[in-house]
Amino acid sequence: MEFKYSDRYFEYLRGLHRSLFPLGVGKICAHQNKQHRFYTKSLVEIGVLRSIFYRFDGLKIILGNIEDLLIDPLSLAIWYMADGTLDY
């Protein structure tokens, strides 16, 4: 999974990087157009989560039991704010 944010949100990206470090992440690298990014390891669990929250056409969906899946308020906030579309 790739996380990519503009320079404006670099500290947020660093926080995500620290939070996901136990899963295995690459270093944060500068990217084009004033962006930074990092990747996680390829994990089956990440693919499962993607299949739960995204339809085949790539649209994020809200499940009726989302409170059972995202039990930590921070995970819910990150899920809500990260729409997966930042790109220049």
Side-chain angles (χ1 to χ4, degrees):
M1 178 171 17
E2 176 186 34
F3 289 87
K4 180 171 51 171
Y5 287 90
S6 71
D7 287 347
R8 182 176 174 190
Y9 300 106
F10 183 73
E11 290 305 316
Y12 176 70
L13 183 70
R14 284 183 52 196
L16 286 174
H17 189 264
R18 280 191 300 272
S19 295
L20 296 172
F21 192 80
L23 295 177
V25 294
K27 66 180 184 171
I28 297 175
C29 299
H31 188 57
Q32 62 191 14
N33 298 316
K34 299 182 181 181
Q35 297 178 3
H36 287 83
R37 71 178 177 193
F38 71 89
Y39 294 94
T40 65
K41 285 179 153 182
S42 293
L43 298 170
V44 171
E45 294 85 355
I46 291 174
V48 169
L49 287 173
R50 185 173 191 341
S51 69
I52 291 171
F53 290 111
Y54 288 86
R55 297 188 326 200
F56 292 109
D57 57 6
L59 293 176
K60 189 186 296 186
I61 60 173
I62 299 173
L63 302 169
N65 66 336
I66 194 167
E67 70 275 0
D68 297 330
L69 300 168
L70 299 175
I71 58 174
D72 182 276
L74 181 59
S75 64
L76 180 60
I78 291 170
W79 175 86
Y80 178 77
M81 292 185 302
D83 67 3
T85 62
L86 174 65
D87 207 355
Y88 293 108

